[in-house]
Amino acid sequence: LMARLDARGATSRGLGEVIAAALDAGARRLIIGLGGSASTDGGLGALRALGAVATDANGEPIADGGGDLARLTALDLSSLRDAPPGGVTLW
């Protein structure tokens, strides 16, 4: 429900926040529907909401949204939350 479309600024961070909330509530399995305008960041926003750290060549964090993806040079997944025991299905 954006006032104007913004493919470069749209982010999947909200999806990551919902996943984190489900995990915090004890979800044992996740089924996630993919697609839509906020997918233009390649899922990076969701990964960041789940603990991933995305940086540029200078080690500086990149901004949310697809517009900054060209600056991405490193993705640290060492703090990424674990999947639930029943796994994750991407649909």
Side-chain angles (χ1 to χ4, degrees), residues 15-81:
L15 172 61
E17 292 170 351
V18 168
I19 292 169
L23 293 172
D24 290 345
R28 310 267 313 143
R29 179 176 178 227
L30 296 173
I31 300 172
I32 300 171
L34 299 175
S37 61
S39 296
T40 57
D41 70 348
L44 185 60
L47 288 173
R48 290 177 67 180
L50 293 167
V53 177
T55 54
D56 65 14
N58 297 318
E60 296 295 321
I62 65 167
D64 274 353
D68 230 13
L69 282 177
R71 293 184 43 234
L72 177 67
T73 59
L75 185 60
D76 179 357
L77 302 177
S78 63
S79 295
L80 189 66
R81 293 191 60 168

